[in-house]
Amino acid sequence: MRVINDIKPGCDYLKDESQLIGNADKIYFCHNTNEIEEVLSNCYKNNTPITIQGALTGICGGAVPLNGVVINLSEMNNILGMNYNTELEKYIIKVQSGLLLKDLNHFLKSKKIDISNFDEESIKGYNKFIKDSSFMFPTDPTETLASIGGMVACDASGACSYKYGSIRKYIQGLTLVTPTMKLNIERGKYKYSDLEHILKLDGSSLPKWQAQNQDIKDVAGLYYDDNMDLIDLIIGGEGIFGVITEIELILIEEPKVQAGVMLFLNEENELAKFVDKLRNNESKLFNSGIAAIEYFDSNSLKLLNRFREVNQALKKLPIIQDEFYGSLYLEFHLDSSDELDELLMDILEDMNEYGINEKHQWLGIESSDFEKLKLFRHAVPECVNILIASNKQIDSRLNKLGTDMSVPNDQLLNTLLMYQKDIEELDVSSVIFGHIGDNHLHVNLLPNTYRKLVDSKKVIINWANYITSCGGSVTAEHGIGKLKKELLKLMLKEEDINSMRKIKGIIEPKGLLNQGTLLD
Ligand SMILES: Cc1cc2nc3c(=O)[nH]c(=O)nc-3n(C[C@H](O)[C@H](O)[C@H](O)COP(=O)(O)OP(=O)(O)OC[C@H]3O[C@@H](n4cnc5c(N)ncnc54)[C@H](O)[C@@H]3O)c2cc1C
């Protein structure tokens, strides 16, 4: 394993995309599960705190170390094997947790890999896979530099979770290394209640809690249901139980047609009603053909125009006219181009009634145009993060103030109006974009002074109070990390948070792993 002993201030491994900056004495770049076991057990003997890092694209500071040592997984990035599971009728691919999403996607597209280290079953699975049609991994958090382990630890979603849900459904197995044990957890092999004999607990009953709301998009706190599989406790656990070293992912067949359209909004528009129209249509095409419904407000469009002057990649996008009040990106995953034509006709038919501009749309049917739409989708959050980093140069206290809240369907319009009214009163720059199909918008407040930062934080607390009072969540996909614990306390009962602390203490009694992340 590689080790960095001399960590200079400003070192990239002391921060993530939230721009929160931490401290550490040492960074271990492990290469396999055995090395992780060795580091964890030594740290445990010496009572040294350990922070786990994937690719550091997280935006809540979860992987930022407060002290002690870091286990960084970026050099543990191999594809270990694959097989065809006849029971599930699915391909399962086994990877080391530091593998980047972009590298997984590249393999799935090219089907090319060095199989000299594959075992016999994997070679058989691979030979079947290369002759078969195309397959994909459906979780797409737009940030393809994220690691698979980080995505599992955060129960990541993305634009297409409107159709596919979060990563949880696509995890068939994982290896968890805690400071005191290594556990291979296959889905279906252990229930949560099996922890009693795995850990040889002496009759002490395992805690229960109420947290994530299954009716909305929600990752706040640890997952729980009465009959849950043990793997579901670890997925979305933000690394507080141990290091996920290897993961088995379920692949799905790639849709034959993938396309997108960017629609632009007039000043007078009925965005929320249009979104309702799309999701309330019960026809099969609407139900399973729409993969993503994403919103970008007018400031997002202005931001892209501004950044295209300095960013070569963005120059590929057409200039966006100033007159538009935002845009709506729809992505389609379908079986045929006839289906696409039919769906597009139905969607576009009466859009002017909702204030969607009839004359100006960007269609992404050819793959090069579709890629441009995806570039647009990814560029907005990236530009926001660059802006925040540059504000931080002016005043180091200016951290990211981005929300990740979701609400039930009937609260979408009220929530949008609340955001708009409060932002106007606050008088700070803002950019709103995100997964409107799941009632899940990222509101980014960009205060340029410390005073405005303080005011903005108060407004976010008010939003969290409102949203939790109407059955929403304070975090739908990014997790709690180190920056959103206050919001978790607004959302969950103290007794439920205490139960989460209890299960953390049962699995990792010294509390050395990922200190300050998710729970205090
Ligand atoms: C531009 C941009 C867009 C984004 N869009 C989305 C989006 O649409 N949807 C979404 O869900 N997220 C999104 N994210 C957030 C981020 O990409 C995800 O949270 C991602 O899952 C983090 O992966 P990572 O490897 O970078 O994890 P890190 O940031 O390194 O870590 C995140 C957390 O996971 C823990 N962890 C990491 N690896 C492991 C492991 N192997 N074992 C145990 N714990 C581990 C860390 O300790 C930490 O608590 C976006 C980020 C950016 C910068």
Side-chain angles (χ1 to χ4, degrees):
M1 90 185 77
R2 186 164 73 89
V3 184
I4 302 183
N5 287 304
D6 173 25
I7 302 170
K8 306 245 164 21
C11 159
D12 282 347
Y13 299 104
L14 296 180
K15 62 173 196 230
D16 68 1
E17 285 289 332
S18 69
Q19 305 304 324
L20 178 72
I21 296 175
N23 268 306
D25 301 327
K26 231 180 220 191
I27 306 177
Y28 294 97
F29 295 86
C30 298
H31 294 148
N32 55 47
T33 301
N34 291 345
E35 289 183 358
I36 303 254
E37 283 184 275
E38 186 191 320
V39 174
L40 281 182
S41 116
N42 284 338
C43 288
Y44 228 51
K45 271 185 219 138
N46 301 324
N47 293 323
T48 309
I50 308 131
T51 300
I52 308 165
Q53 292 183 343
L56 289 164
T57 70
I59 23 203
C60 306
V64 177
L66 297 176
N67 49 21
V69 306
V70 166
I71 293 185
N72 181 292
L73 292 143
S74 59
E75 295 180 13
M76 219 168 123
N77 54 9
N78 289 316
I79 293 177
L80 300 171
M82 67 189 307
N83 65 72
Y84 184 76
N85 182 315
T86 45
E87 224 168 279
L88 297 174
E89 299 184 337
K90 295 271 189 267
Y91 285 99
I92 309 286
I93 181 163
K94 187 170 185 181
V95 305
Q96 285 187 310
S97 60
L99 181 76
L100 300 186
L101 178 62
K102 82 173 173 49
D103 295 331
L104 173 69
N105 288 342
H106 179 261
F107 163 64
L108 295 177
K109 276 254 167 306
S110 69
K111 296 195 171 184
K112 289 196 180 118
I113 193 167
D114 173 6
I115 55 167
S116 51
N117 289 326
F118 276 21
D119 62 15
E120 228 171 87
E121 197 195 354
S122 286
I123 293 174
K124 211 167 117 201
Y126 175 68
N127 283 335
K128 180 172 166 58
F129 173 73
I130 47 178
K131 288 186 213 119
D132 212 331
S133 48
S134 300
F135 290 82
M136 67 177 204
F137 186 64
T139 311
D140 167 26
T142 77
E143 179 48 271
T144 59
L145 294 176
S147 72
I148 303 296
M151 289 167 59
V152 174
C154 296
D155 190 15
S157 291
C160 294
S161 56
Y162 177 73
K163 175 176 166 78
Y164 298 106
S166 76
I167 199 170
R168 184 179 296 281
K169 274 205 302 205
Y170 306 97
I171 306 302
Q172 180 60 13
L174 55 81
T175 302
L176 178 77
V177 181
T178 77
T180 51
M181 67 174 173
K182 179 178 101 174
L183 204 55
N184 293 319
I185 311 177
E186 280 292 311
R187 189 170 282 289
K189 183 172 166 191
Y190 299 118
K191 291 281 177 206
Y192 170 64
S193 51
D194 290 327
L195 269 181
E196 286 206 349
H197 44 262
I198 294 171
L199 296 172
K200 303 190 180 64
L201 300 177
D202 217 5
S204 69
S205 61
L206 293 166
K208 298 177 176 187
W209 58 93
Q210 271 193 337
Q212 300 179 8
N213 177 352
Q214 302 309 306
D215 297 333
I216 54 166
K217 193 172 168 191
D218 181 14
V219 297
L222 298 171
Y223 181 93
Y224 183 84
D225 77 56
D226 277 339
N227 193 30
M228 77 170 163
D229 208 291
L230 181 55
I231 202 168
D232 285 321
L233 177 68
I234 309 306
I235 299 170
E238 300 194 31
I240 64 168
F241 297 116
V243 184
I244 300 164
T245 60
E246 295 176 4
I247 304 164
E248 290 177 7
L249 305 169
I250 299 174
L251 303 181
I252 62 168
E253 197 161 350
E254 195 165 40
K256 297 200 173 46
V257 174
Q258 294 185 53
V261 63
M262 188 72 73
L263 306 173
F264 292 89
L265 306 179
N266 297 329
E267 181 173 3
E268 298 295 322
N269 65 71
E270 302 215 60
L271 173 66
K273 275 199 182 149
F274 187 67
V275 170
D276 269 341
K277 173 197 133 126
L278 297 177
R279 20 182 217 206
N280 292 341
N281 190 313
E282 284 174 3
S283 77
K284 182 175 165 275
L285 274 187
F286 273 76
N287 253 325
S288 62
I290 302 179
I293 309 178
E294 299 278 293
Y295 169 64
F296 302 92
D297 75 346
S298 58
N299 288 339
S300 309
L301 306 185
K302 286 185 193 127
L303 190 67
L304 281 186
N305 273 345
R306 182 175 145 198
F307 270 80
R308 77 195 296 287
E309 299 306 319
V310 287
N311 182 319
Q312 281 304 325
L314 291 182
K315 287 208 166 103
K316 291 185 199 149
L317 298 174
I319 294 182
I320 307 158
Q321 294 169 23
D322 281 345
E323 68 199 73
F324 295 127
Y325 279 74
S327 70
L328 199 63
Y329 169 72
L330 307 180
E331 187 164 318
F332 310 108
H333 290 184
L334 293 155
D335 285 335
S336 70
S337 42
D338 285 350
E339 284 188 352
L340 177 63
D341 291 345
E342 192 184 330
L343 185 56
L344 270 174
M345 273 215 316
D346 279 356
I347 290 175
L348 304 184
E349 178 187 53
D350 55 354
M351 62 182 182
N352 64 326
E353 286 173 28
Y354 297 87
I356 314 275
N357 194 284
E358 267 187 313
K359 297 195 187 111
H360 195 87
Q361 297 128 24
W362 296 350
L363 265 180
I365 294 178
E366 296 302 321
S367 72
S368 60
D369 294 331
F370 182 47
E371 286 311 315
K372 278 186 205 162
L373 293 180
K374 287 185 153 186
L375 169 71
F376 178 109
R377 220 181 70 195
H378 178 61
V380 177
E382 218 176 37
C383 293
V384 169
N385 287 348
I386 295 171
L387 270 188
I388 290 160
S390 75
N391 278 352
K392 211 174 163 66
Q393 304 280 315
I394 306 168
D395 184 336
S396 61
R397 295 170 298 179
L398 298 177
N399 276 331
K400 181 179 168 83
L401 284 182
T403 73
D404 179 37
M405 303 183 195
S406 60
V407 290
N409 283 356
D410 60 358
Q411 292 298 324
L412 175 60
L413 181 60
N414 290 345
T415 309
L416 253 175
L417 293 174
M418 172 182 76
Y419 289 151
Q420 283 159 353
K421 177 178 151 290
D422 289 350
I423 290 170
E424 206 177 309
E425 281 172 18
L426 251 183
D427 191 28
V428 295
S429 304
S430 69
V431 180
I432 304 179
F433 63 86
H435 320 296
I436 198 165
D438 291 320
N439 311 303
H440 169 210
L441 294 172
H442 299 299
V443 183
N444 293 274
L445 300 177
L446 306 167
N448 54 4
T449 64
Y450 185 65
R451 176 75 249 156
K452 285 193 176 177
L453 177 96
V454 173
D455 292 345
S456 303
K457 279 187 176 167
K458 286 184 193 149
V459 167
I460 290 180
I461 298 282
N462 290 343
W463 290 345
N465 273 318
Y466 172 78
I467 275 167
T468 54
S469 74
C470 65
S473 170
V474 295
T475 175
E477 67 182 9
H478 294 158
I480 295 294
K482 296 193 171 66
L483 296 175
K484 297 200 171 161
K485 285 179 286 188
E486 207 181 331
L487 300 187
L488 186 70
K489 287 179 192 155
L490 293 179
M491 182 176 164
L492 300 185
K493 292 197 191 111
E494 179 64 21
E495 67 202 60
D496 290 320
I497 297 183
N498 281 339
S499 293
M500 293 179 200
R501 288 196 184 104
K502 189 168 172 201
I503 189 62
K504 155 86 172 162
I506 287 174
I507 297 178
E508 200 261 291
K510 287 193 182 176
L512 294 175
L513 268 172
N514 272 11
Q515 284 184 348
T517 290
L518 180 57
L519 301 169
D520 286 321

